[in-house]
């Protein structure tokens, strides 16, 4: 992949304008004006590429590819499996998805396919092969975008059979092993063969957490193997063209950390809920997600495949973000490791479901709109940041946010069922680092820990095989590891560790025993004394015994007042911490300040910024991003070049929702 500029573009649907091709030419003129250098084409074009079974029409796409190339645009070419032609569904009903209630969907909408159907997989492979054969070597072809936002699940008979095969592999074709690991002696649920198993469902088995966990793993694996199937002809015929697929925020239906290994480039679609008041929390959440996608391939730059240049059409109310916010959002992505800023979409559809979704070109059809001017201004700015392309930062801090753990957290019954909010917990723990401009990776429990000085693992309830040992080694060798409540309670089948929590050998490493877990009703709280101050906790807390660990903080309320709430155990050369309650931002901030100091990790940002202003270093640049509605003047520690206006500065005016890039 040759890339020497930030990719700036978005979803482009010229196939919707085939009857008015003058629009295509106008698109080229407008794209140049907006500094657009790429277009993502063909995402939902199957019916226009194969109007009848086996009858292909690539003429319009040939024209579009050539047109874009003549105008110097790179093409991100999509495969069309996200939506299928009517003929395909009518001819082969098995391609349609069966819902949990056992009823097969009719043709309609998109993302409505069976993940297993051999017919659908063959048809997808075939259309992809045709595309790859036709456009292999085309000078505009820059990247493959397979399908679109994979998601959902199918409960048809084909998927049920595939699930049983998947289970046989998992449990060595031994039903007794499965019975033991799923604890099926409970409620007389012993199975005598794999054939007796089906997907968890409301009107059937939905009280076996290990089954639910296995089903989530299976569905995720099915998406990945569906994707592999569509990638195969692309890799065969266009081995030099990288492959991506667009992921959705922290969507839990697919283990994105696992899926990432099958892709060349990670990309995601970002639709934050920005408002015109204060966006600090949302900015932290989005920063966390960018960090997660960047970390999936060890720090490799990712693509911001979609975002909106103004509004979306699918939230209950869709207020317009004022000028500045879109650019701020795009710059934030680049600061955190994106090598692209792309929109959904380039031109508003004239009809259909998304005709009122924001686009760079509105129905008025020209460049004289606020949204177009904003997009063009951002395009010009991005063209000055080419030196950032390909760069990555080294993080010394990581947060563990693991997809499989998120499933385990979802499926168990007990303690508190509302507000489990695993991702929210990880995002809240990310904030103290984000705020200080400390680069932070977001990793899975399978990743290499030894790259980091400090790892925070909020609500790490389930451990996959070998993770306990990995944590032990990490701490022994000098790492600092922060655990929280309900830490290491179960193994990968949701079987509780015996002999006291945390399990898997970690009781000794952390020097604690968590004897009981208290759940705190909404509106109530628990107080915690730490470093001479009282802090508030909520939702859940563990009652700990310190068995060698030092108590850094203790509960200030409840019958367990005075017992340890925050602990640190020196183990080997490292430190194993436990924060045994769900903490609010004041506590995590104070606590992280202390542990960062102890771990020897300092912010690399040599000047102070107010809350809500994020400073991120990437490559040769320092990004200043103001997520508040206040105007600020930031005093810098020395003279920098303002990359966007070219001036030397020792202070920067940062208006509300404004940004600056310094060198
Ligand atoms: C998703 C899809 C797009 C479009 C946008 C609208 O991200 O991938 O096709 O529907 O949402 O926001
Ligand atoms: Zn199916």
């Amino acid at each position: 992949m040759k890339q020497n500029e930030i990719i700036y573009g978005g979803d482009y649907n010229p196939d919707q304008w085939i009857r008015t091709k003058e629009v295509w030419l106008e698109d080229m003129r407008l794209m140049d004006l907006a500094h657009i250098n790429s277009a993502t084409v063909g995402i939902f074009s199957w019916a226009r590429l194969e109007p009848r079974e086996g009858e292909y029409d690539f003429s319009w796409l040939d024209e579009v590819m050539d047109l874009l190339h003549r105008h110097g645009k790179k093409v991100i070419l999509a495969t069309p499996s996200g939506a299928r032609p009517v003929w395909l569904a009518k001819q082969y009903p098995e391609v349609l998805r069966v819902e949990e209630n056992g009823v097969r969907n009719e043709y309609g909408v998109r993302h409505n396919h069976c993940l297993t159907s051999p017919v659908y997989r063959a048809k997808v492979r075939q259309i992809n092969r045709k595309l790859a054969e036709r456009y292999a070597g085309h000078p505009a072809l820059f990247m493959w975008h397979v399908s679109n936002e994979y998601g959902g699940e199918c409960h048809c008979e084909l998927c049920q059979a595939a699930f049983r095969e998947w289970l046989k592999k998992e449990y060595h074709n031994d039903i007794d092993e499965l019975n033991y690991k799923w604890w099926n002696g409970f409620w007389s649920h012993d199975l005598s063969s794999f054939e007796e198993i089906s997907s968890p469902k409301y009107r059937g088995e939905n009280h076996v957490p290990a089954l639910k966990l296995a089903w989530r793993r299976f569905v995720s694996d099915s998406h990945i193997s569906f994707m592999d199937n569509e990638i195969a002809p692309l890799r065969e015929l266009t081995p030099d063209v990288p492959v991506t697929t667009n992921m959705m925020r922290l969507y839990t239906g697919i283990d994105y950390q696992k899926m990432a290994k099958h892709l060349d480039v990670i990309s995601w679609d970002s639709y934050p809920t920005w408002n015109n008041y204060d966006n600090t929390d949302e900015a932290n959440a989005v920063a966390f997600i960018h960090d997660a996608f960047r970390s999936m391939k060890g720090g490799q730059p990712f693509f911001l495949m979609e975002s909106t240049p103004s509004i979306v059409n699918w939230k209950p109310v869709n207020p317009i973000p004022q000028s500045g916010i879109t650019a701020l959002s795009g710059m934030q992505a680049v600061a955190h490791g994106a090598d692209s800023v792309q929109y959904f979409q380039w031109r508003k559809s004239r009809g259909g479901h998304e005709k009122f979704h924001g686009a760079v070109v509105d129905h008025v059809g020209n460049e004289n709109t606020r949204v177009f001017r904003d997009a063009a201004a951002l395009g010009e700015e991005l063209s000055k940041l080419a030196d950032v392309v390909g760069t990555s930062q080294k993080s010394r801090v990581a947060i563990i946010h693991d997809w499989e753990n998120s499933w385990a957290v979802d499926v168990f019954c007990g303690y508190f069922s509302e507000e489990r909010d695993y991702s929210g917990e990880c995002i809240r723990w990310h904030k103290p680092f984000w705020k200080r401009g400390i680069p932070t990776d977001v990793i899975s429990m399978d990743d290499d820990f030894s790259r980091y000085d400090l790892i925070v693992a909020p609500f790490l309830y389930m451990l996959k095989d070998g993770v306990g040992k990995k944590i032990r080694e990490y701490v022994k060798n000098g790492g600092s590891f922060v655990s929280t409540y309900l830490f290491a309670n179960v193994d990968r089948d949701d079987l509780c560790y015996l002999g006291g929590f945390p399990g898997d050998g970690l009781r000794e490493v952390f020097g604690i025993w968590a004897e009981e877990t208290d759940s705190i009703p909404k509106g109530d709280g628990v107080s915690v004394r730490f470093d001479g101050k009282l802090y508030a906790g909520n939702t859940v807390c563990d009652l700990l015994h310190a068995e060698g660990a030092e108590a850094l903080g203790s509960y200030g309320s409840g019958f367990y007042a005075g017992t340890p709430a925050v602990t640190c155990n020196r183990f080997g050369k490292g430190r194993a911490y436990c924060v045994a309650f769900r903490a609010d931002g004041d506590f995590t901030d104070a606590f992280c300040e202390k542990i960062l100091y102890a771990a020897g990790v300092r912010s690399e940002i040599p000047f102070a910024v107010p809350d809500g202003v994020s400073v991120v270093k990437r490559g040769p640049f320092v990004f200043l991003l103001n997520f508040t509605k206040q105007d600020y003047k930031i005093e810098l520690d020395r003279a920098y070049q303002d990359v966007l206006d070219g001036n030397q500065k020792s202070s920067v005016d940062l208006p509300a929702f404004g940004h600056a890039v310094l060198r």
Side-chain angles (χ1 to χ4, degrees), residues 175-448:
I175 198 68
D176 289 334
E177 181 187 334
L178 182 145
N179 279 325
Y180 177 73
K181 290 194 170 162
W182 289 14
W183 212 248
N184 278 343
F186 180 80
W187 284 355
S188 202
H189 282 203
D190 277 321
L191 298 156
S192 51
S193 88
F194 283 88
E195 307 317 310
E196 293 169 349
I197 304 176
S198 68
S199 57
K201 39 180 91 76
Y202 177 70
R203 67 202 160 84
E205 185 59 270
N206 59 49
H207 274 44
V208 176
L211 164 70
K212 294 205 240 179
L213 201 47
W215 173 252
R216 309 265 312 240
R217 289 189 174 114
F218 162 74
V219 170
S220 175
D221 281 0
S222 303
H223 281 292
I224 296 171
S225 79
F226 183 93
M227 183 182 82
D228 283 344
N229 170 72
E230 43 171 327
I231 293 176
L234 313 178
R235 289 240 164 90
E236 180 195 324
L237 296 162
T238 58
D240 298 332
V241 183
V243 177
T244 192
T245 190
N246 49 345
M247 302 182 183
M248 304 176 266
R249 220 174 153 103
L250 301 172
Y251 172 67
T252 57
I254 302 173
D255 181 346
Y256 282 161
Q257 288 161 329
K258 191 169 184 184
M259 186 179 237
K261 301 202 164 61
H262 299 242
L263 295 163
D264 302 312
V265 174
I266 300 302
S267 64
W268 80 284
D269 300 342
S270 178
Y271 294 98
T273 303
W274 299 130
N275 62 53
N276 296 323
Y277 304 98
D278 182 293
N279 289 300
T280 305
D281 282 336
E282 186 66 350
N284 169 218
V286 177
F288 175 89
I289 303 169
H290 286 318
D291 289 350
F293 285 113
R294 186 197 60 242
S295 305
M296 278 177 199
K297 291 188 89 66
Q300 180 188 306
F302 61 92
F303 269 37
L304 178 65
M305 189 53 78
E306 290 181 24
S307 58
T308 175
S310 58
I311 52 175
V312 296
N313 68 334
W314 45 264
K315 293 184 184 171
V317 179
N318 299 292
I320 300 174
Q322 70 179 67
S323 281
I325 293 179
T326 301
L328 180 64
S329 179
M331 284 293 175
Q332 186 191 23
V334 174
H336 282 266
D339 274 358
S340 85
V341 174
Q342 293 158 273
Y343 297 119
F344 179 85
Q345 55 182 336
W346 163 251
R347 178 184 282 275
K348 274 187 184 172
S349 318
R350 184 164 184 198
H353 183 68
E354 292 180 323
K355 63 181 176 297
F356 295 126
H357 192 289
V360 179
V361 181
D362 212 323
H363 293 128
V364 69
N366 61 35
E367 64 271 45
N368 303 315
T369 63
R370 183 188 65 88
V371 170
F372 188 95
R373 283 190 295 273
D374 285 356
L378 177 60
E380 191 180 355
E381 290 189 353
L382 292 174
S383 69
K384 299 176 180 167
L385 303 182
D387 285 352
V388 87
V389 171
T391 64
S392 185
Q393 89 250 60
K394 180 171 159 23
S395 304
R396 295 176 60 194
V397 176
I399 310 269
I400 296 184
H401 174 270
D402 183 285
W403 258 256
E404 291 196 48
N405 184 59
S406 85
W407 300 335
V409 161
D410 275 356
V411 302
F412 80 83
C413 179
Y415 301 126
F416 59 110
S417 50
E418 288 170 2
E419 317 277 336
R420 291 258 168 99
D421 196 19
Y422 171 60
S423 296
E425 260 302 72
C426 295
I427 290 169
R428 284 187 285 276
W429 273 99
H430 177 264
K431 193 169 186 176
F433 307 109
W434 173 72
K435 216 183 110 164
R436 289 170 174 75
I438 292 176
T440 304
D441 285 355
V442 175
I443 61 172
S444 87
M445 65 178 106
D446 298 320
D447 285 315
D448 176 14

Side-chain angles (χ1 to χ4, degrees), residues 115-161:
L115 310 183
T116 306
S117 158
V119 171
Y120 198 52
R121 287 188 177 210
K123 288 288 175 197
V124 167
R125 219 177 146 107
Q126 196 178 350
I127 184 77
N128 290 9
R129 172 167 287 280
K130 292 277 176 198
L131 283 166
E133 276 168 359
R134 191 150 191 111
Y135 300 109
H138 193 289
L141 179 62
F142 172 70
M143 191 185 281
W144 288 108
H145 172 305
V146 291
S147 199
N148 192 73
E149 296 189 338
Y150 292 109
E153 56 188 48
C154 175
H155 295 255
C156 79
E157 277 315 313
L158 293 166
C159 288
Q160 302 289 353

Side-chain angles (χ1 to χ4, degrees), residues 400 449 455 457 471 474-475 479-483 487 510 575-577:
I400 296 184
F449 293 171
I455 296 178
I471 296 172
Y474 171 75
V475 178
S480 294
F481 194 100
V482 181
S483 66
F487 174 49
F510 287 75
R575 292 179 173 86
Y577 296 94

Side-chain angles (χ1 to χ4, degrees), residues 586-654:
D586 288 340
F587 175 83
T588 51
D589 200 58
F591 176 75
C592 288
E593 176 78 28
K594 207 177 166 103
I595 60 172
L596 278 166
Y597 184 81
V601 181
R602 307 278 180 277
S603 168
E604 290 164 29
I605 308 302
F607 50 85
V609 290
D611 257 6
V613 173
S614 157
V615 185
V616 188
K617 268 181 142 177
R618 184 181 171 206
F621 303 128
V622 182
F623 293 79
L624 272 70
L625 309 162
N626 181 4
F627 292 98
T628 76
K629 63 167 190 172
Q630 308 289 324
D631 300 341
Y632 289 113
K633 188 182 196 73
I634 310 290
E635 298 296 337
L636 306 171
D637 59 307
R638 61 172 174 86
Y640 290 78
Q641 190 203 14
D642 182 323
V643 183
L644 303 179
D645 70 14
N647 295 323
Q648 287 287 117
K649 294 182 177 167
S650 54
S651 70
V652 180
D653 288 317
L654 210 53

